[in-house]
């Protein structure tokens, strides 16, 4: 199987060499991890694609000087496949990002002849170097094609159910109630046990691709269990459940069916999609009939709950979602996604074979889906039903570059923790503007009240502040935190991808410096602005200083000087993506 480049200005470096050619060593960019492949898929070809070097002094046959053609923005590739197979293209970007691409076209020669598949991708330009010097690795994943007589079985709900059941069995997991203690959680071996006492108990509900032992393992290293022991004793439980092939409604029904026929009060800690399971239990109890009487909610903490949905569950975005999860697994290997790699591996096979339908457990998190719409209908939950803990993750350095390459700006248009929108964690009714009260909101990162811009969806329970927040919320104590105004938008990184280098952030206020030339929308009849220029040392300036920001992605001039004088806080703000770059934005820095 050979890869052909149809785009001008690009060339192929084959790994392993060809007949009569020297062997080319593979670059540092890795291939596709074996855990992302199944028995139906394998890597068939791996090449490095790079812009052709500029050449000088060459002449055309007519004797005219020529120059190498500039690399095209988009890459057009094709490769041949033997009968009975289809393919996906995996691309490793310079940042290490991994993206997956379906063919845009396929041509078959004869009824049983070979076929040619064609791929089109657009590598991201960098602000400093464009495409020049950018090399990427292209990996063709060959996938066995499902025969026509089996095509009817290519329904995602059925496929997801079979895979999830098989993966759980292989890992020794099973659905049902578990007893939780600090010791068993640390060992990752929760014991099957269901509640029998109606006394106040604690329940943990995990999220997608996870199970209780993996999701809450970080709490075992904290003081959490020691601090709540007097309240709950040994009445601490978790409910393990399929999160991909079952809906939150099915999870809720199974949870209640396993409880004794009595009224038991539970305080609850949820993570991610587990918040939707709890909210279904509490807010949609009428659909569960008499079973709903078995559980009464005490206090609850929704940790990173997708109350308004998540873009990862948007229909029609399979290709991007599978790639996003693959990158999260690689960037954060210590994660609670027990079945995440299996989802990616099988998802690639499903993508290649055009499997159709929605995966029930993921579709439930679609912001425009029926479940979230139903939970936002009146009557809503009690105003004091929940507390919320969220994170506003702000990457930097190599992690930021990787996220840009996989399209973080295409997924999230607001603050997020890499899986769910941050503000959705406290907005329990978007249409009517109902939110969890400010006094019961904890938020890591910029705009929040907890330190740590590096907290992500998969690292909540490794933070000491998380244990503190849970204890205060569950025991009914006021949070010793500044309130987070749920009406205000958290700072996000939407300006990062291209915004700092395009016309959207031109320094519009610079027109004020043009003598006699009023800026756009200037009030010509107003009194003129009078400016006095003083030459002095800003180190000893006692008054507040107003600084302007040049159209650049670094601090220069006066900004650079003042940043050094106040300890580098301005530079830190710029690196986190919250610096006032756009016209009309501002930020106050305290000396």
């Amino acid at each position: 199987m050979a890869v052909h480049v149809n785009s001008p200005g690009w060339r192929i470096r084959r790994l392993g060499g060809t007949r009569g050619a020297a062997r080319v060593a593979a670059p540092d960019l890795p291939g596709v991890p074996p855990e992302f492949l199944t028995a139906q898929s394998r890597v068939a070809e791996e090449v490095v694609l790079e812009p052709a070097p500029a050449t000088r002094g060459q002449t055309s046959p007519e004797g005219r000087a020529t120059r190498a053609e500039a690399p095209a923005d988009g890459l057009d590739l094709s490769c041949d496949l033997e009968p009975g197979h289809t393919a996906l293209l995996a691309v490793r970007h310079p940042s290490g990002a991994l993206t997956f691409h379906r063919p845009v076209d396929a041509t078959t020669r004869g009824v049983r002849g070979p076929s040619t598949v064609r791929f089109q991708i657009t590598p991201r330009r960098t602000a400093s170097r464009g495409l020049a010097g950018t090399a990427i690795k292209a990996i063709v994943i060959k996938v066995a094609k499902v025969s026509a007589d089996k095509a009817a079985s290519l329904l995602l709900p059925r496929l997801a159910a079979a895979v999830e059941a098989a993966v759980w069995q292989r890992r020794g997991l099973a659905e049902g109630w578990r007893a939780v203690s600090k010791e068993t959680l640390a060992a990752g071996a929760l014991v099957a046990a269901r509640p029998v006492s109606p006394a106040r108990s604690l329940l943990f509900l995990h999220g997608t691709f996870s199970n209780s032992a993996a999701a809450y393992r970080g709490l075992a290293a904290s003081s959490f269990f020691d601090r709540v022991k007097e309240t709950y004793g040994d009445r601490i439980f978790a409910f393990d459940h399929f999160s991909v092939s079952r809906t939150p409604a099915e999870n809720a029904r199974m949870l209640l069916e396993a409880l004794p026929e009595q009224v038991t009060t539970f305080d609850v800690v949820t993570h991610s999609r587990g918040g939707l399971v709890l909210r279904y239990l509490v807010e949609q109890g009428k659909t569960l009939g008499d079973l709903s009487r078995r559980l009464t909610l005490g206090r609850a903490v929704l940790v990173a709950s997708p109350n308004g949905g998540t873009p990862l569950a948007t229909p029609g975005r399979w290709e991007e979602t599978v790639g996003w999860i693959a990158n999260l697994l690689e960037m954060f290997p210590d994660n609670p996604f027990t079945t995440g790699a299996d989802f990616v591996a099988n998802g690639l096979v499903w993508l290649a074979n055009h499997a159709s339908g929605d995966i029930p457990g993921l579709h439930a998190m679609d912001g425009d889906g029926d479940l979230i719409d139903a939970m936002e209908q009146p009557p809503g939950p009690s105003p004091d039903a929940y507390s919320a803990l969220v994170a506003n993750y702000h990457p930097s350095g190599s992690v930021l570059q990787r996220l840009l390459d996989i399209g973080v700006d295409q997924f999230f248009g607001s603050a997020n923790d890499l899986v769910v929108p941050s503000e959705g964690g406290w907005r329990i009714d978007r249409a009517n503007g109902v939110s969890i009260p400010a006094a019961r909101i904890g938020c890591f990162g910029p705009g929040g009240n907890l330190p740590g811009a590096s907290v992500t969806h998969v690292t909540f329970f490794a933070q000491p502040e998380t244990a503190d927040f849970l204890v205060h919320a569950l025991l009914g104590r006021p949070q010793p935190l500044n309130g987070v105004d749920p009406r205000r938008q958290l700072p996000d990184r939407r300006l990062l991808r291209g915004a700092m280098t395009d016309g959207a952030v031109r320094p519009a206020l610079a027109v004020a410096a043009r003598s006699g030339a009023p800026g756009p929308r200037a009030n010509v009849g107003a009194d003129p602005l009078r400016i006095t220029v003083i030459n002095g040392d800003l180190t000893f300036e006692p008054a507040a200083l107003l600084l302007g920001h040049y159209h650049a992605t670094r601090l220069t001039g006066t900004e650079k000087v003042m940043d050094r004088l106040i300890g580098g806080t301005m530079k830190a703000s710029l690196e986190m993506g919250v610096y006032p770059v756009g016209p009309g934005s501002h930020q106050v820095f305290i000396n």
Side-chain angles (χ1 to χ4, degrees):
M1 176 187 297
V3 175
H4 308 280
V5 178
N6 308 315
S7 306
W10 289 85
R11 70 177 185 179
I12 290 179
R13 278 200 293 137
R14 299 192 184 279
L15 306 181
T18 57
R19 181 180 301 177
R23 181 180 180 88
V24 177
D28 293 336
L29 295 176
V32 174
E35 59 266 27
F36 293 166
L37 301 172
T38 71
Q40 291 77 42
S41 59
R42 69 177 182 87
V43 173
E45 179 76 0
E46 203 171 295
V47 299
V48 172
L49 305 173
E50 57 187 7
T55 56
R56 297 180 181 177
Q58 292 185 351
T59 57
S60 68
E62 294 79 16
R64 293 191 298 269
T66 62
R67 297 180 60 186
E69 195 164 2
D73 284 356
L75 258 172
D76 191 304
L77 311 172
S78 58
C79 66
D80 297 327
L81 290 172
E82 62 266 32
H85 290 86
T86 182
L88 289 173
L89 182 69
V91 175
R92 278 288 184 189
H93 300 263
S95 64
L98 181 63
T99 57
F100 299 105
H101 309 268
R102 284 186 283 193
V104 297
D105 188 27
T107 305
T108 302
R109 294 188 289 277
V111 179
R112 296 184 178 180
S115 61
T116 299
V117 289
R118 182 181 174 193
F119 302 95
Q120 292 178 339
I121 61 174
T122 304
R124 185 176 69 90
R125 284 181 173 271
T126 64
S128 59
R129 296 190 304 164
L131 290 172
T134 300
I136 63 174
K137 180 179 284 188
I139 305 141
V140 178
I141 301 175
K142 186 170 68 173
V143 180
K145 185 182 294 184
V146 174
S147 60
D149 60 333
K150 294 183 179 180
S153 66
L154 285 178
L155 298 176
L156 281 177
R158 188 179 305 172
L159 294 169
V163 167
E164 190 166 35
V167 171
W168 273 53
Q169 183 178 24
R170 186 171 71 247
R171 294 181 179 273
L173 302 173
E175 293 184 282
W177 284 87
R178 301 284 180 271
V180 180
S181 69
K182 185 173 185 176
E183 293 72 26
T184 58
L185 189 59
L190 303 183
V191 179
R194 68 169 187 163
V196 293
S197 170
R200 181 182 175 189
S201 305
L202 179 61
L203 167 63
F204 290 101
L205 291 173
H206 64 78
T208 311
F209 307 131
S210 192
N211 68 305
S212 304
Y216 298 102
R217 180 179 55 195
L219 278 182
S222 73
S223 61
F224 174 79
F225 288 93
D226 299 325
R227 296 160 71 181
V228 300
K229 183 175 182 180
E230 184 177 345
T231 301
Y232 303 113
D234 60 355
R235 300 182 307 280
I236 302 179
F237 301 92
F239 184 74
D240 282 347
H241 54 278
F242 289 174
S243 57
V244 175
S245 59
R246 298 196 197 280
T247 66
E250 292 173 309
N251 299 145
R253 180 172 292 277
M254 291 179 64
L255 181 153
L256 294 175
E257 287 175 342
L259 285 176
E261 293 187 14
Q262 62 188 24
V263 177
T264 304
T265 299
F266 285 97
D267 293 341
V268 186
V269 175
T270 71
H271 181 228
S272 191
R273 178 187 175 278
L276 299 184
V277 177
L278 173 65
R279 291 192 61 192
Y280 193 91
L281 283 166
V282 175
E283 301 170 40
Q284 301 294 310
K286 60 182 181 295
T287 66
L288 299 168
D290 290 341
L291 284 174
S292 63
R293 300 175 184 174
R294 298 183 180 183
L295 184 147
T296 297
L297 180 64
R299 301 185 178 100
V301 184
L302 309 180
V303 180
S305 180
N307 294 312
T310 172
L312 295 180
T314 303
R317 302 187 69 171
W318 253 98
E319 198 171 331
E320 294 86 353
T321 297
V322 172
W324 189 270
I325 298 301
N327 281 276
L328 289 185
L329 292 172
E330 288 192 331
M331 289 189 295
F332 306 101
D334 187 16
N335 62 73
F337 296 147
T338 313
T339 61
D342 298 280
F343 168 77
V344 172
N346 286 277
L348 295 178
V349 175
W350 301 338
L351 275 170
N353 279 290
H354 304 284
S356 61
D358 292 319
I359 295 180
L362 301 186
H363 181 64
M365 296 184 289
D366 176 14
D368 295 323
D370 295 337
L371 176 70
I372 289 178
D373 180 67
M375 287 195 294
E376 292 186 338
Q377 300 301 317
S382 168
D384 59 353
Y386 310 123
S387 294
L389 184 61
V390 305
N392 182 11
Y393 176 59
H394 275 234
S396 60
S398 60
V399 174
L400 173 60
Q401 295 304 316
R402 180 165 182 162
L403 292 175
L404 291 176
D405 279 342
I406 60 178
V408 63
D409 57 337
Q410 298 172 17
F411 268 98
F412 296 101
S414 63
N416 63 87
D417 65 7
L418 293 184
V419 175
V420 301
S422 309
E423 294 153 0
W426 62 64
R427 292 176 180 165
I428 51 181
D429 186 344
R430 293 170 297 175
N432 299 306
V434 179
S435 298
I436 292 172
R440 292 204 303 278
I441 295 175
C443 177
F444 290 98
N449 53 5
L450 291 169
S454 61
V455 177
T456 71
H457 193 81
V458 301
T459 58
F460 275 98
F461 298 102
Q463 314 304 317
E465 294 85 359
T466 295
D468 293 338
F469 188 89
L470 295 180
V471 170
H472 288 298
L474 295 174
L475 301 186
R477 302 170 183 169
Q479 297 287 351
L481 303 170
N482 295 326
V484 175
D485 187 347
R487 299 166 299 178
R488 296 189 63 183
Q489 186 175 5
L490 292 173
D492 62 70
R493 303 197 67 102
R494 283 178 294 174
L495 290 174
L496 274 182
R497 189 178 172 104
M500 290 184 178
T501 55
D502 66 18
V505 291
R506 293 190 184 98
L509 298 182
V511 296
R514 300 172 189 163
S515 176
R521 301 186 184 182
N523 187 350
V524 180
D527 293 335
L529 176 66
R530 302 187 183 279
I531 300 175
T532 301
V533 179
I534 300 175
N535 181 18
D537 188 344
L538 293 177
T539 307
F540 305 103
E541 175 55 54
L545 293 174
L546 178 63
L547 307 180
H549 179 64
Y550 285 96
H551 183 196
T553 57
R554 60 192 180 93
L555 301 181
T556 60
T558 306
E559 288 177 290
K560 184 176 181 180
V561 173
M562 293 310 302
D563 178 57
R564 184 174 67 251
L565 293 177
I566 63 175
T569 56
M570 296 165 66
K571 180 181 179 182
S573 175
L574 182 65
E575 290 176 344
M576 288 194 301
V578 295
Y579 199 79
V581 176
S585 61
H586 75 280
Q587 188 171 352
V588 177
F589 296 94
I590 304 300
N591 183 1

